[in-house]
Amino acid sequence: MIYEFATLPTDKVTAVGGKGGTLARLFQAGYPVPDGFVIAPEAFVHESLRDDAWETVQRQLTVLRNGHGTPFAIRSSAFSEDSAHASFAGEFESVLDVQHDAEIRHAIHAVRQSGQNERVQAYSQAQGLNASHQVAVVVQKMVPAEMAGVLFTADPVSGSHAHMTGNFVRGLGDKLVSGEATPDTFTLSRPKGAYAGPPEMKRYGRALFKLAQRLENELHGPQDIEWAVADGKVYLLQARPITTMQPHNPATGEWNDSLRGDYLWTNANFGEAVPDVMTPMTWSLLQLYGREAFTIPLPGQHPLFGNIGGRFYMNASLAASMFTALGYSQERIAAQMREFFGYLPADTAVPLIPFSRWAVLRALLKSAPAAIRRVRRDRKRLAAATAVMPQQAAEFQARIAAAETPADLLPVWWELEAALREACQLLQAGTGLFEDLVRPLRQKLVKWTDEETANTLLSGFSQGSDQLASLGPVIGLWRVQQGQMDEAAYLQQYGHRSAHEFELAWPRPYEEPDWLAQQQANLAAVDVPALLARQEAGKAAAWARFAQQQPRRVAKMQTQLAQVAAAARNREAIRSEIIRLVGVVRQFALRAAELTGLGDTVFFLRLEEMAAVLGGDRTAEAIASTAVTHIPIRQQAHERLSALPVYPGIIHGRFDPYHWQQEADLTGLGDLSGLITGFPGAAGVVEGVVRRLDAPEQGHLLQPGEILVTATTNIGWTPLFPKAGAVVTDVGAPLSHAAIVARELGIPAVVGTGDATARLQTGDWVRVNGAKGVVEKL
């Protein structure tokens, strides 16, 4: 019933409320937190402290007094208090500066009862929380504060991380929290904590800044910190997440990482892989991938990628900030940003996170050696590991089908999760190798020849029967049409690939009886080998131009192009197999749903919640119970978000999925006629009629020779490419799916235009110049 700060077990942190759990954790981690203990709710009967509990409290008080007259602070620690979504700041009672046992017992009773007061009830109702509160009580040595205050480690309104903002008053901080005194304000600017504010606080600014930075890392995000100064020392009295910067709202089931800070987000290159509003299970799968693939810890707690209204985005500010801290020139930063994130309008201001160069180098040096060793190991075994994955997937599928109870199924999950983690590491190794080879080589080719020749030479990655995996579905469809491959073999080899292949709730093609017939209809009367032959002829001509222009570099370039082609095939192969494994995860989820009675709602659980539903200890049961009750609101949120128009490709700062269209400044689109510019995706010039499509399921509308215009493409769009005269996308870069596949098929493409879908409509007549990256509306 009574837990000392120093000895509170980690599995009991949630049993003593938000404040008590955090204070104990920070005390144990060595932060300057005044000593104390927490009285758990079990110590009370009808709001009154049990006699045996009071005896234990008295013994703890004696230890803390250590023979001296010691004042204490009696503070609330409600289970919903100081959480990521509700601070309850100043709502529950706190009683300060009590010394004698009778005063302390009365204060404990008052704090315990404050869970029933009107302001707590009103705040709970406003936050959509249960009005009934479990309240633990913190008893803590009182700090005789000379000054006390609060510090926000980021701007709670704009989300900016440029500086920390604080307020303070002289004496105890209760007047500040209650609003009874007008505080002084100060700022601590990143990256070094430069102080601006009243002079009496300056001497403590540096210490407070260091503590705040450490707290952000310890507690995984921006913090609202209560502190005090006594006898020349800074003490921490509480730390809680800044509620306005929390990405997940459990009351509505929605996720919005744009609230986490002042960042520039883009879905270029990466959003094409995940084009849908994600279910919670799919989002947890992508988070698993991120943890396994990106192992180098970056300074601070800034997200590398995020979920904004259910859609996947990358944080461009993080990369730009690291490049800036490392001293890259503006030209080099711009080139790197184009390679990674595709189209950014010329006037786009990328908000920078104020990293110091040393912080970035320290983060890299700390973990880079282990990460490099792992990547080298994975690259060596990439091809062999990829080759056995189809058999591995088949074995998992058989075991899943054979499981007759949740207890039978749960052990399969732990093995499947381990296989999935390993596959994520292999995918990152393959992707990294390809990009390490192709990016510098492409830059050299552009310098030595021109962009059209460079892009053409960096195509034709298939070699005989060793095809590029992303081309496999379209070539396979043609072979089925020609009677060279039966339908069962096609579905076994390619039936896991689709436009929605990362979304676990979406059926795989091999689950849908009519899928293959629909794809064949879209491909009708298209001679795929002729397209490939035309592309090969274009590559041969490009090679001849290069050999004439750079004869001394021919031998070395042949070797480098062969290395890039092999890396491209390996990257596409491991990606195909990890998608096969994602299909196995879907099968597992469906079997778990069948055995637990959840049905299709299982996809509104996270992966770890699904495992908890299958059984385990009491902790798992508690997780499962809470998660299952959240399914209806998560479903409703997913339906609302899925009904909205697709969000912009670029998002700056806080974004409201429901109102952005009304608030958007469309003047940034410029002239809605004339030239549309993007990246050269695949060479060639063609004129034709626009067919603007929003999803590959609309593919039957595309007529032969029309210009396919869409926001983004992935492998699910590939069967439509041979029928298109050219491809134009809002999202993408020279190494995106649309660019690679279009080059392989010899189809002109302009990618990463940013706004083609806003400026072009079905029926427009346009000229597409894939070599120059230009679309002209005629």
Side-chain angles (χ1 to χ4, degrees):
M1 295 183 291
I2 312 294
Y3 296 98
E4 299 174 7
F5 284 178
T7 58
L8 177 70
T10 55
D11 63 342
K12 295 295 183 181
V13 167
T14 58
V16 294
K19 185 183 283 102
T22 300
L23 289 173
R25 175 179 175 181
L26 297 181
F27 185 90
Q28 293 176 20
Y31 286 88
V33 173
D35 201 359
F37 57 89
V38 192
I39 308 171
E42 290 78 9
F44 296 87
V45 177
H46 303 304
E47 309 305 321
S48 296
L49 189 64
R50 289 166 40 175
D51 290 339
D52 56 340
W54 173 241
E55 291 175 3
T56 306
V57 167
Q58 288 179 301
R59 289 195 294 271
Q60 292 295 330
L61 291 171
T62 300
V63 171
L64 290 174
R65 286 169 175 143
N66 193 27
H68 303 287
T70 302
F72 291 93
I74 314 301
R75 311 170 69 192
S76 63
S77 183
F79 282 25
S80 51
E81 186 181 7
D82 294 325
S83 68
H85 308 286
S87 68
F88 282 90
E91 304 300 332
F92 293 91
E93 292 291 343
S94 291
V95 182
L96 306 181
D97 200 18
V98 289
Q99 293 195 41
H100 305 296
D101 284 10
E103 294 177 313
I104 292 170
R105 187 166 192 176
H106 184 268
I108 291 171
H109 181 70
V111 170
R112 171 71 181 183
Q113 281 195 317
S114 67
Q116 309 301 320
N117 69 38
E118 289 185 8
R119 63 176 183 262
V120 169
Q121 302 301 304
Y123 184 93
S124 302
Q125 185 177 5
Q127 293 289 334
L129 299 172
N130 192 320
S132 175
H133 294 279
Q134 282 272 60
V135 182
V137 178
V138 170
V139 179
Q140 192 174 17
K141 292 175 76 171
M142 184 81 182
V143 173
E146 300 154 19
M147 61 180 74
V150 297
L151 180 71
F152 288 96
T153 65
D155 189 317
V157 178
S158 71
S160 172
H161 291 80
H163 57 261
M164 303 180 186
T165 301
N167 300 123
F168 72 94
V169 295
R170 283 80 179 167
L172 298 179
D174 57 330
K175 294 184 178 64
L176 172 62
V177 176
S178 65
E180 296 176 18
T182 300
D184 287 313
T185 299
F186 65 95
T187 60
L188 302 169
S189 298
R190 298 179 195 262
K192 295 183 179 180
Y195 175 85
E200 63 264 44
M201 179 62 202
K202 184 174 182 179
R203 60 183 291 202
Y204 306 110
R206 184 68 175 165
L208 187 57
F209 180 75
K210 288 184 175 180
L211 284 172
Q213 280 191 309
R214 186 180 163 200
L215 274 171
E216 279 192 320
N217 288 325
E218 182 91 27
L219 301 177
H220 309 295
Q223 296 294 306
D224 169 3
I225 300 167
E226 295 180 19
W227 55 271
V229 172
D231 298 324
K233 180 179 178 180
V234 176
Y235 289 90
L236 293 180
L237 306 182
Q238 175 56 357
R240 53 180 166 248
I242 298 176
T243 55
T244 59
M245 298 181 69
Q246 299 312 304
H248 183 226
N249 185 342
T252 64
E254 295 170 5
W255 201 295
N256 189 345
D257 276 308
S258 76
L259 303 179
R260 293 180 64 176
D262 186 22
Y263 305 124
L264 189 77
W265 299 91
T266 173
N267 61 6
N269 274 356
F270 305 95
E272 65 179 23
V274 194
D276 307 296
V277 172
M278 298 174 286
T279 57
M281 187 173 289
T282 297
W283 173 230
S284 67
L285 174 69
L286 289 169
Q287 289 177 302
L288 183 150
Y289 169 72
R291 289 192 296 271
E292 296 302 319
F294 305 108
T295 57
I296 295 179
L298 303 173
Q301 294 294 324
H302 304 282
L304 179 63
F305 57 86
N307 178 341
I308 300 179
R311 296 187 182 275
F312 186 87
Y313 281 82
M314 294 293 295
N315 185 353
S317 288
L318 189 58
S321 302
M322 292 185 66
F323 294 148
T324 300
L326 291 173
Y328 285 23
S329 68
Q330 290 301 309
E331 294 78 10
R332 187 178 179 189
I333 292 173
Q336 292 284 353
M337 296 293 283
R338 281 195 301 271
E339 288 285 348
F340 282 110
F341 301 114
Y343 171 85
L344 291 177
D347 59 349
T348 299
V350 181
L352 295 179
I353 306 162
F355 292 143
S356 69
R357 186 181 187 192
W358 172 239
V360 173
L361 289 173
R362 183 172 53 196
L364 295 173
L365 292 171
K366 182 178 180 180
S367 55
I372 290 171
R373 286 194 298 271
R374 194 193 79 176
V375 168
R376 286 176 176 170
R377 179 201 69 198
D378 288 341
R379 287 178 179 180
K380 288 179 181 179
R381 64 193 187 95
L382 179 60
T386 303
V388 302
M389 287 178 72
Q391 179 60 34
Q392 182 187 39
E395 292 171 357
F396 275 123
Q397 288 173 322
R399 292 176 62 191
I400 291 167
E404 296 183 355
T405 67
D408 293 338
L409 192 58
L410 185 58
V412 182
W413 169 247
W414 304 126
E415 294 182 41
L416 177 56
E417 183 187 38
L420 193 61
R421 291 181 184 279
E422 182 181 21
C424 290
Q425 296 173 13
L426 290 169
L427 175 59
Q428 185 57 25
T431 299
L433 176 60
F434 173 70
E435 292 179 350
D436 288 349
L437 292 172
V438 76
R439 292 187 193 279
L441 185 59
R442 183 177 179 279
Q443 291 170 2
K444 290 177 183 177
L445 285 169
V446 170
K447 178 181 177 181
W448 294 334
T449 58
D450 55 72
E451 195 147 26
E452 177 180 353
T453 300
N455 285 337
T456 304
L457 289 174
L458 292 172
S459 65
F461 291 143
S462 298
Q463 186 175 18
S465 60
D466 194 2
Q467 297 172 347
L468 198 66
S470 53
L471 273 183
V474 70
I475 295 173
L477 281 173
W478 183 85
R479 292 183 63 203
V480 171
Q481 285 184 340
Q482 303 303 310
Q484 298 176 10
M485 186 179 200
D486 63 51
E487 294 185 357
Y490 179 92
L491 290 173
Q492 182 178 6
Q493 191 165 351
Y494 305 115
H496 57 293
R497 306 303 306 270
S498 73
H500 313 280
E501 58 191 20
F502 267 107
E503 175 49 64
L504 291 164
W506 204 281
R508 310 292 103 169
Y510 55 69
E511 298 177 50
E512 301 186 280
D514 299 330
W515 181 87
L516 190 53
Q518 293 169 355
Q519 299 302 310
Q520 287 179 288
N522 287 336
L523 195 67
V526 176
D527 189 347
V528 173
L531 291 175
L532 295 173
R534 185 176 70 183
Q535 186 276 335
E536 280 297 319
K539 184 173 182 179
W543 177 252
R545 292 195 300 273
F546 176 82
Q548 185 178 17
Q549 295 168 357
Q550 304 289 337
R552 294 183 178 180
R553 293 189 167 99
V554 166
K556 186 175 182 180
M557 183 56 62
Q558 282 180 321
T559 301
Q560 290 177 313
L561 287 173
Q563 291 173 337
V564 168
R569 292 193 297 272
N570 284 336
R571 180 188 76 159
E572 292 298 296
I574 183 59
R575 177 169 174 174
S576 179
E577 292 310 318
I578 200 172
I579 293 301
R580 193 188 302 276
L581 209 53
V582 169
V584 177
V585 175
R586 169 177 163 79
Q587 182 184 342
F588 184 96
L590 290 172
R591 185 61 177 154
E594 186 179 359
L595 294 175
T596 58
L598 287 173
D600 288 344
T601 66
V602 71
F603 298 109
F604 295 93
L605 298 175
R606 294 175 57 81
L607 289 172
E608 63 271 19
E609 293 169 345
M610 176 184 66
V613 167
L614 291 174
D617 56 19
R618 289 185 178 179
T619 301
E621 291 174 3
I623 292 171
S625 176
T626 301
V628 170
T629 61
H630 284 164
I631 284 177
I633 57 173
R634 294 178 183 180
Q635 280 184 288
Q636 293 165 13
H638 188 266
E639 290 170 4
R640 289 195 302 270
L641 293 168
S642 297
L644 298 175
V646 176
Y647 315 150
I650 299 170
I651 289 174
H652 176 198
R654 297 185 171 219
F655 178 78
D656 182 346
Y658 296 104
H659 300 109
W660 72 270
Q661 283 193 305
Q662 292 93 322
E663 300 168 359
D665 177 10
L666 298 180
T667 58
L669 295 176
D671 184 5
L672 296 184
S673 62
L675 291 180
I676 299 168
T677 59
F679 288 95
V685 179
V686 65
E687 291 185 13
V689 175
V690 165
R691 177 66 64 176
R692 187 187 177 288
L693 300 181
D694 295 323
E697 288 77 19
Q698 300 171 330
H700 61 282
L701 300 174
L702 180 69
Q703 302 303 308
E706 289 185 329
I707 310 302
L708 172 60
V709 177
T710 188
T712 185
T713 70
N714 57 29
I715 196 167
W717 292 79
T718 304
L720 300 179
F721 278 28
K723 195 161 58 170
V727 177
V728 179
T729 69
D730 289 346
V731 173
L735 298 180
S736 64
H737 173 270
I740 290 175
V741 174
R743 286 198 296 269
E744 294 294 308
L745 294 172
I747 300 169
V750 177
V751 300
T753 64
D755 57 8
T757 57
R759 297 170 63 179
L760 297 175
Q761 300 298 322
T762 294
D764 288 343
W765 185 268
V766 298
R767 179 187 296 122
V768 178
N769 188 325
K772 294 184 177 180
V774 171
V775 181
E776 185 179 1
K777 186 176 178 182
L778 304 176

